[in-house]
Amino acid sequence: MTEMSPSPAGLLPVSADHLTAALAATGVPTFITGEWSAGMPVLWVNAAFERFTGMTVEDLAVLGPNALLALVDDDPEREPAQVDLVAGRSMRRIVGMRARDGRTSWLQIDVTPLPSDDGGAHHWVGMATDVSEYVDRQAAQLASLEVERQQRADLDLIAQTTELLGDLEYPLALRDIADLLRSLVPWASFYLNDDGLQHADGVDVASPPSGRGRRHARYVPAPPGEPSTGPGDAVEGGETLAGDHVQDLLDGLVDGPVRLDLGATYPPFSASGWLSRDLRHRVVEETGAIPRSVVVHAVAGRRRVLGLVVTWHGDAQGEPPATAPAPEGEHVVTVVEVVARRAGTAIDNARLYAREHRLAEALQRAMLPEQADVTGLDVWTYYAPNAEHAQVGGDWYDLLQIADGTVGLVIGDVVGHDVEAAAAMGQLRSVVRAYAYELTHPATVLDRVDQLVTGMRVPRPASLVYATLEHRVEDDTWALDYTRAGHLPPLLLREGTVRLLSGAGGPLVGFGADPRAVSREELRRGDVLLFYTDGLIERRDRSLKVGLDTLVDISARITARDSAGVGEELLARLADAPEDDVAIVVVRVPDPATDDQVTALSPRSRRWLLPSEPASIGRARHAVLRTCQAWGLPDSAAAELVVSELVANGVLHGWGNIALRLYDTGEGLRIEVEDANPAPPVATDGHPNRLGGFGMQIVERLADWGWRPAGSGKLVWARLRAT
């Protein structure tokens, strides 16, 4: 009688035959095996197992011991599974199983030992659940996450590259970008086409913005009719020469990227030949591998290709060449292409900006006013354009030594501070200069300027003050005649009082229908004249009248006894953050009787802008003597000698305007001279067979000195030693 399983009340009992029939009929592949020590022979499988694997018990018996393991693909968890089976414990694993038709499915295998009287695992029952859809979905999710991770990494690399390209003055910018690319490929580097291909760690922004330089000579192929091995190749002495595809890339004949075979023979003097030779040496030196081929991308500017990005993807000699990027390398090619494109745009922009900057500096040197050497007067001038990108604006001044004892002075302001304002300023400056030397008298000069400007149709309105100072030898006094064309009134500072010279007013330049008026002032010793443009006092948060009242109040409290000191006090209190162009001219009539008696409490700094001409050496000596006198500093003779040598070096070896600055550090006078020549000064033992060359030796004897880069040139400093 068949044993019956207990069942709930009211239900038919379940027999062992029922359980056996259920296992045989279930759609879940099921099997029973023997014990592990016998090789777990398969004793029984159900129909679902046979349908899934295509194998019967007899087929599995042919496979020998552990026949089920033979159906399972290599599984990293096979060893832990065997440990569980040997120990007689239940085991669950997800494995890939190969069917007879060769297809592989993912199965979740559950194997459980059947109970026995002695407690041993003599028989095992197993079930296999098809989880291929779940595994495939999980694999797709993991692949999607990997793609997203790679995209994030690529975007991060491009962002870092963009940041490096933002500062191409850093000399190793391209090298650092190549190092970033080496997170994608074994090796990468930049080459720029500056006077021929050159390996580049950084960018020389002074190179021509087009990138055009000396070309590598293109090989001339054989004449028509002679044998040729194919497009782009040539034959020389029976040897096949590969086409110069790198030169095609540089010339913009192909978009790229191109693959360069480093083992091929290229035409003499070709870009491909030079690059392949350089790469074989460079990659071997840096990686120790002998590359077979590289991928070359163009670094393109707006109009021309500026250089190349070369990447090595790891193929070495002895390996078959790759005909196309591997699927996993396609994103690498895309990222390198983006980096190359951004690098080309950044390099082109940097070089165009550098060219514009050089043009602006040339314009500045040509148009900035120069201070004349005025005998008998202490003169200080200052000019600063508000726009940082434009080195010259619409404000200007001029001091002209018209004749012995006669000085012309003009200060003006063209509306705006852009290139058009600068151009209008240049026109007016030339006109006023020409008439000042010819006519001298302020009213006559301005009348003629009105007539000419009306005919010239200068696009911007302008204001100015034109004045002459005449020296009377008989009583050593000065007389001031001036006229104003819509400009702010000059100031007269006399013994602690300030007076606006508001006479002789009139309309803007070019709008004077009636003859211009002239006012006269008799100047005394110690008097100070202040000419300025509205940038000194104009602010958005206050009216021009309030700014003018502030200027008068500050001028009344000035303690300086020299024109440079007066100017420095005004700048310190009014022009720390100007909102417009600023031009200032300070003229002081010296007073020998009182100048040496009082040490002023003005700012202990001075500045001058001098033209690069020999006369500036004398003006610099005069400036330092006046400063030492105003500050009560000893050793003015040593300071005069040091300033003379430094400014002379700037005049002889530099170019552009020379900036002279003096500082009282409390421990000695500090002198700074800046010019546009970046070459450092060198102390020599003199020039062979001729005089001179000992200037820096003199400076070394009297002062501690050094230098540093400044702008497009250099700054040389010297601090006088205390005696």
Side-chain angles (χ1 to χ4, degrees):
M1 181 176 177
T2 305
E3 182 180 353
M4 306 295 289
S5 300
S7 61
L11 296 179
L12 294 175
V14 179
S15 67
D17 293 338
H18 289 146
L19 296 177
T20 302
L23 288 176
T26 182
V28 177
T30 307
F31 56 89
I32 297 175
T33 72
E35 58 186 341
W36 171 260
S37 59
M40 293 191 77
V42 179
L43 305 177
W44 175 86
V45 297
N46 66 356
F49 185 93
E50 292 179 352
R51 288 194 302 269
F52 186 81
T53 64
M55 303 185 74
T56 64
V57 173
E58 291 75 13
D59 295 329
L60 292 171
V62 175
L63 298 179
N66 296 315
L68 290 177
L69 294 180
L71 299 179
V72 179
D73 285 340
D74 291 337
D75 179 14
E77 296 186 346
R78 176 172 291 179
E79 291 299 328
Q82 292 177 358
V83 172
D84 287 338
L85 294 174
V86 171
R89 294 190 295 264
S90 297
M91 180 270 294
R92 170 178 287 184
R93 294 290 184 270
I94 294 178
V95 299
M97 178 168 285
R98 296 190 302 272
R100 176 173 290 177
D101 59 4
R103 62 186 177 88
T104 300
S105 298
W106 291 97
L107 302 176
Q108 176 178 299
I109 305 295
D110 290 276
V111 181
T112 303
L114 294 175
S116 63
D117 295 338
D118 59 3
H122 301 299
H123 293 86
W124 299 77
V125 61
M127 293 186 178
T129 305
D130 189 353
V131 293
S132 299
E133 183 179 352
Y134 164 77
V135 171
D136 291 342
R137 185 166 59 249
Q138 185 182 40
Q141 291 175 345
L142 292 175
S144 176
L145 290 174
E146 176 60 23
V147 169
E148 183 179 352
R149 186 202 65 79
Q150 186 62 60
Q151 289 176 343
R152 288 180 180 273
D154 293 345
L155 290 174
D156 182 62
L157 186 149
I158 292 172
Q160 294 182 62
T161 298
T162 303
E163 183 177 353
L164 288 170
L165 290 172
D167 183 18
L168 287 179
E169 293 184 358
Y170 172 53
L172 301 177
L174 296 184
R175 188 201 66 180
D176 289 355
I177 294 173
D179 288 342
L180 290 175
L181 292 176
R182 293 182 188 186
S183 65
L184 301 176
V185 294
W187 188 88
S189 199
F190 279 84
Y191 288 81
L192 293 183
N193 190 22
D194 297 337
D195 194 24
L197 279 177
Q198 301 177 24
H199 182 264
D201 288 330
V203 178
D204 180 9
V205 295
S207 293
S210 66
R212 173 175 287 178
R214 175 180 57 80
R215 287 163 49 91
H216 293 275
R218 178 182 287 278
Y219 182 79
V220 179
E226 295 190 9
S228 178
T229 59
D233 294 343
V235 175
E236 183 179 81
E239 182 181 18
T240 301
L241 302 179
D244 193 3
H245 302 303
V246 172
Q247 189 67 57
D248 292 339
L249 199 63
L250 292 172
D251 291 342
L253 301 180
V254 296
D255 293 333
V258 299
R259 184 174 292 276
L260 181 66
D261 185 356
L262 301 186
T265 302
Y266 293 96
F269 312 111
S270 65
S272 297
W274 181 89
L275 184 60
S276 63
R277 289 191 299 273
D278 186 80
L279 287 169
R280 283 195 296 267
H281 166 74
R282 197 175 298 277
V283 178
V284 169
E285 186 178 73
E286 295 185 21
T287 67
I290 303 176
R292 185 184 184 94
S293 65
V294 295
V295 179
V296 184
H297 298 257
V299 177
R302 288 178 175 83
R303 296 182 179 180
R304 294 178 177 84
V305 175
L306 306 179
L308 307 170
V309 179
V310 182
T311 57
W312 174 51
H313 292 243
D315 61 334
Q317 287 192 10
E319 300 176 356
T323 57
E328 65 273 10
E330 291 179 356
H331 86 280
V332 174
V333 174
T334 302
V335 170
V336 176
E337 192 70 19
V338 171
V339 170
R341 189 162 54 247
R342 293 196 174 194
T345 301
I347 294 170
D348 213 11
N349 287 341
R351 288 178 171 176
L352 285 171
Y353 174 80
R355 185 179 67 172
E356 294 297 328
H357 185 68
R358 289 193 298 270
L359 289 175
E361 287 185 339
L363 181 65
Q364 179 187 18
R365 289 194 294 270
M367 299 181 70
L368 273 182
E370 299 175 0
Q371 176 181 323
D373 188 9
V374 180
T375 304
L377 293 174
D378 181 16
V379 179
W380 181 85
T381 57
Y382 176 81
Y383 174 77
N386 180 55
E388 295 182 359
H389 63 278
Q391 298 299 313
V392 62
D395 293 11
W396 91 96
Y397 66 82
D398 255 335
L399 268 84
L400 312 171
Q401 189 76 54
I402 297 174
D404 290 341
T406 302
V407 177
L409 188 155
V410 60
I411 190 165
D413 184 3
V414 177
V415 174
H417 44 74
D418 52 13
V419 175
E420 187 176 356
M425 178 269 285
Q427 291 177 294
L428 284 174
R429 179 170 177 256
S430 299
V431 169
V432 174
R433 269 194 164 200
Y435 286 142
Y437 279 107
E438 179 184 356
L439 305 173
T440 305
H441 191 267
T444 308
V445 169
L446 196 50
D447 285 338
R448 293 293 296 274
V449 171
D450 282 333
Q451 296 173 15
L452 188 58
V453 167
T454 302
M456 291 172 58
R457 297 183 179 179
V458 176
R460 298 291 184 89
S463 65
L464 64 81
V465 175
Y466 179 70
T468 58
L469 292 104
E470 294 186 6
H471 183 225
R472 299 191 184 96
V473 180
E474 59 275 9
D475 57 358
D476 194 23
T477 59
W478 290 83
L480 169 72
D481 292 322
Y482 69 93
T483 183
R484 297 186 301 119
H487 201 82
L488 293 168
L491 269 62
L492 174 61
L493 285 64
R494 175 179 291 169
E495 297 177 352
T497 64
V498 178
R499 183 158 55 90
L500 293 173
L501 303 182
S502 55
L508 296 172
V509 177
F511 295 90
D514 299 325
R516 298 282 184 172
V518 174
S519 292
R520 167 165 285 213
E521 287 289 337
E522 299 292 335
L523 301 181
R524 307 174 189 172
R525 292 180 177 179
D527 284 354
V528 176
L529 291 171
L530 173 61
F531 299 81
Y532 56 95
T533 58
D534 57 5
L536 180 65
I537 61 174
E538 189 174 24
R539 298 293 181 271
R540 294 186 181 90
D541 58 351
R542 70 186 184 195
S543 66
L544 196 62
K545 183 181 184 307
V546 173
L548 187 58
D549 293 341
T550 303
L551 174 62
V552 172
D553 179 63
I554 290 175
S555 299
R557 293 184 276 116
I558 288 177
T559 62
R561 294 283 178 168
D562 62 320
S563 62
V566 173
E568 290 291 348
E569 286 197 43
L570 289 173
L571 291 178
R573 299 180 184 181
L574 290 172
D576 54 341
E579 298 175 2
D580 198 356
D581 303 337
V582 176
I584 304 174
V585 178
V586 180
V587 180
R588 184 176 184 273
V589 181
D591 185 1
T594 61
D595 287 350
D596 296 336
Q597 297 177 2
V598 179
T599 301
L601 301 177
S602 59
R604 313 292 273 188
S605 63
R606 300 287 189 270
R607 74 192 85 174
W608 292 265
L609 188 66
L610 306 172
S612 183
E613 59 183 32
S616 294
I617 303 172
R619 286 199 283 274
R621 288 200 299 264
H622 175 75
V624 75
L625 286 175
R626 291 289 302 158
T627 301
C628 289
Q629 180 185 38
W631 290 346
L633 297 178
D635 297 329
S636 60
E640 181 184 11
L641 190 55
V642 170
V643 164
S644 179
E645 295 298 337
L646 294 183
V647 174
N649 278 343
V651 171
L652 291 173
H653 306 296
W655 55 80
N657 291 294
I658 297 172
L660 169 65
R661 302 181 186 88
L662 305 177
Y663 302 93
D664 181 10
T665 65
E667 299 178 352
L669 181 66
R670 179 183 173 91
I671 302 166
E672 293 183 356
V673 175
E674 182 179 346
D675 62 54
N677 184 356
V682 178
T684 67
D685 294 329
H687 300 304
N689 303 321
R690 60 190 178 97
L691 298 176
F694 297 99
M696 296 311 298
Q697 287 194 22
I698 295 173
V699 174
E700 283 184 343
R701 293 290 183 91
L702 299 174
D704 299 318
W705 73 279
W707 76 282
R708 61 177 173 82
S712 60
K714 67 176 180 299
L715 184 148
V716 184
W717 60 268
R719 185 172 63 82
L720 294 179
R721 300 189 183 99
T723 57

